[in-house]
Amino acid sequence: MNKKLIKEVKKSFKEQFKTKPLIVFSPGRINLIGEHTDYNYGFAFPAAINKGIVLAISKNGSQTSSVYALNKEELYKFDTVKIEPIENGGWRNYILGVVAELKLLGKPVGGFNSVFAGNIPGGAGLSSSAALENSFVFGLNELFDLELSKYEMIKISQNAEHNYAGVKCGIMDQYASMFGVKNSALLLDCRTIESTPYKIDFKKYKLMLINTNVKHDLSESAYNDRRKVCEKVSNLLQIDALRDATKDDLEAIKNDICEEDFQKALYIINENNRVKLFSKAIKKNDLMVLGDLLYQSHEGLSNNYQVSCAELDFLVERAKENPHLLGARMMGGGFGGCTINLILKDEFKNFKKDVLKKFRAVFEKDCSFYSVKLSDGTQLID
Ligand code: GLA
């Protein structure tokens, strides 16, 4: 699968550290539907993919840890006893966060040497950060016999993201990356944090991702702002989370909140319902309904929840014009990254050619196309 990547990571590790490491693969994720529902304790439908992070890691018997980011060719050394987040630390903060959270739980983590590399583009909405966090927590758990369950590990990854990267994310990304099941998507209940795998076979159709190659800087603060709005509205409704609200509940407080907040909460309630309809349509193999729900989801994300951008909207519009596409929507946190499309397999090449040309003409840059396979979650390899 990621043979080339594994080989490169092993080679780099050997050159620098001489010992034999543990090798971990941790995947990125896609999400079929259910966006921004996770921190509202609602439903999402993610799947781990066959692209992600490969990590080589071993103990070094000292207090200092070394991490080499192979793609960036950057080496970072830190004292494993004194850990703090670094301002604008980028990838370093995810690793520091994981180690710090383990320490907070009283887990004995000593110094380690490590090399990692990935083949998911960062900022594409494919959760390269969750893959990175999970690879380290999984590797350290093995290395230092920490006896953590997978559930505990994803909580550590999520806390690393909250406290060291400053994004108050939900649990979907870390969950999907850790618990992925080959050829399946996971209908995830973000309140109980349990999922049901659904075997995915779209017959003549397939999933295609298109990356806008846009990463908006405001995305982190805008993400946290969305979360605050949802919490404010659920407080007003005196419920635990928007998962528990109906449209009627929301109508009843319409005059107490501004129109924007109303629209955002409405989006969450509708999106949660769409996930349930989506799972039913998968069971019936009703591809038309699936596609339609994708388009509806995008409309809500763009108009009500306001987390899309011109490039994402443009790609979804091009999909709508082509009868061989059943549905499309932006995927992940938003403000850039990828759209997910349900396209007739035979149409892939034509559509790619056509959209590349049109995208370039309007935005004077390229979008990128990926096909992904649904895969197992974080695991030791070799
Ligand atoms: C990001 C977050 C997730 C989730 C999605 C939107 O990927 O990390 O927790 O909220 O955005 O669905």
Side-chain angles (χ1 to χ4, degrees):
M1 54 183 187
N2 294 276
K3 277 195 186 130
K4 194 167 153 256
L5 198 63
I6 297 168
K7 220 172 144 186
E8 286 166 2
V9 170
K10 277 186 175 169
K11 184 167 168 263
S12 168
F13 189 92
K14 203 172 165 197
E15 279 165 11
Q16 297 182 67
F17 304 115
K18 317 289 184 243
T19 51
K20 196 173 172 356
L22 279 180
I23 309 283
V24 181
F25 174 68
S26 189
R29 64 106 188 88
I30 56 166
N31 186 23
L32 299 181
I33 197 160
E35 222 62 86
H36 289 270
T37 44
D38 60 352
Y39 52 84
N40 288 294
Y41 297 154
F43 295 92
F45 221 136
I49 56 174
N50 58 332
K51 289 184 196 299
I53 298 279
V54 174
L55 166 69
I57 188 166
S58 73
K59 288 186 199 175
N60 65 16
S62 80
Q63 225 181 276
T64 309
S65 292
S66 295
V67 188
Y68 185 65
L70 183 58
N71 300 124
K72 294 187 185 279
E73 300 185 357
E74 288 172 2
L75 176 68
Y76 176 58
K77 290 190 178 196
F78 64 96
D79 182 339
T80 310
V81 177
K82 285 182 256 146
I83 298 175
E84 275 175 6
I86 315 172
E87 206 170 317
N88 299 321
W91 59 269
R92 293 165 187 81
N93 278 331
Y94 299 109
I95 297 155
L96 289 172
V98 165
V99 178
E101 296 299 329
L102 285 168
K103 297 248 161 199
L104 270 180
L105 294 173
K107 299 289 172 188
V109 182
F112 56 87
N113 296 330
S114 58
V115 174
F116 76 88
N119 54 5
I120 342 171
L126 297 174
S127 293
S128 54
S129 61
L132 184 59
E133 292 147 5
N134 278 354
S135 71
F136 270 86
V137 73
F138 197 91
L140 291 170
N141 182 53
E142 285 290 325
L143 221 51
F144 293 97
D145 297 320
L146 305 180
E147 296 186 342
L148 294 163
S149 66
K150 285 186 172 180
Y151 177 80
E152 287 169 313
M153 288 192 253
I154 62 170
K155 287 301 229 183
I156 290 166
S157 293
Q158 185 191 29
N159 285 337
E161 186 111 11
H162 285 193
N163 302 326
Y164 273 66
V167 182
K168 302 285 177 201
C169 64
I171 198 69
M172 169 174 75
D173 304 349
Q174 291 79 9
Y175 186 95
S177 165
M178 184 67 77
F179 288 94
V181 176
K182 197 172 174 187
N183 297 328
S184 305
L186 309 172
L187 174 60
L188 174 61
D189 181 330
C190 300
R191 171 168 275 149
T192 60
I193 318 192
E194 283 168 356
S195 69
T196 313
Y198 279 61
K199 262 214 158 16
I200 298 294
D201 176 9
F202 293 130
K203 309 271 186 272
K204 284 191 292 180
Y205 288 82
K206 70 172 197 166
L207 295 173
M208 170 185 72
L209 304 179
I210 314 178
N211 191 354
T212 57
N213 294 315
V214 176
K215 180 166 165 50
H216 281 239
D217 287 338
L218 85 167
S219 62
E220 279 165 26
S221 60
Y223 183 92
N224 293 343
D225 287 349
R226 294 299 178 287
R227 185 167 183 153
K228 274 193 206 135
V229 168
C230 294
E231 285 167 1
K232 192 168 83 187
V233 177
S234 29
N235 282 342
L236 260 178
L237 287 168
Q238 297 183 324
I239 52 174
D240 189 28
L242 284 181
R243 180 223 178 107
D244 304 315
T246 63
K247 278 188 205 171
D248 288 345
D249 297 335
L250 192 61
E251 285 291 344
I253 60 155
K254 193 167 185 181
N255 295 331
D256 304 326
I257 55 178
C258 64
E259 180 62 20
E260 287 82 39
D261 290 359
F262 176 84
Q263 291 300 333
K264 290 190 175 100
L266 182 63
Y267 159 77
I268 297 293
I269 295 169
N270 287 336
E271 181 76 350
N272 230 358
N273 288 333
R274 280 191 283 267
V275 182
K276 292 179 211 158
L277 295 174
F278 199 90
S279 66
K280 283 187 191 141
I282 287 193
K283 278 189 183 145
K284 288 192 201 146
N285 215 356
D286 193 338
L287 295 182
M288 299 304 277
V289 171
L290 294 180
D292 191 46
L293 289 166
L294 293 181
Y295 283 135
Q296 284 179 34
S297 170
H298 185 79
E299 207 175 305
L301 284 158
S302 183
N303 299 329
N304 304 68
Y305 213 58
Q306 310 229 338
V307 289
S308 187
C309 65
E311 291 85 348
L312 288 166
D313 290 344
F314 180 88
L315 290 175
V316 172
E317 284 311 313
R318 299 295 77 75
K320 276 187 185 161
E321 286 164 7
N322 186 323
H324 302 302
L325 276 97
L326 298 184
R329 62 176 200 87
M330 57 148 276
M331 194 181 72
F335 307 105
C338 291
T339 60
I340 181 167
N341 302 261
L342 188 55
I343 184 172
L344 189 70
K345 283 177 187 161
D346 292 344
E347 183 64 12
F348 186 91
K349 270 196 192 143
N350 280 339
F351 185 67
K352 181 175 169 180
K353 202 169 141 207
D354 182 48
V355 170
L356 261 177
K357 200 168 94 197
K358 290 179 177 157
F359 192 89
R360 205 176 283 155
V362 176
F363 299 107
E364 294 175 353
K365 63 184 173 205
D366 282 341
C367 52
S368 326
F369 293 73
Y370 319 116
S371 305
V372 286
K373 287 192 179 132
L374 309 190
S375 304
D376 285 325
T378 307
Q379 57 196 275
L380 280 181
I381 46 180
D382 215 14

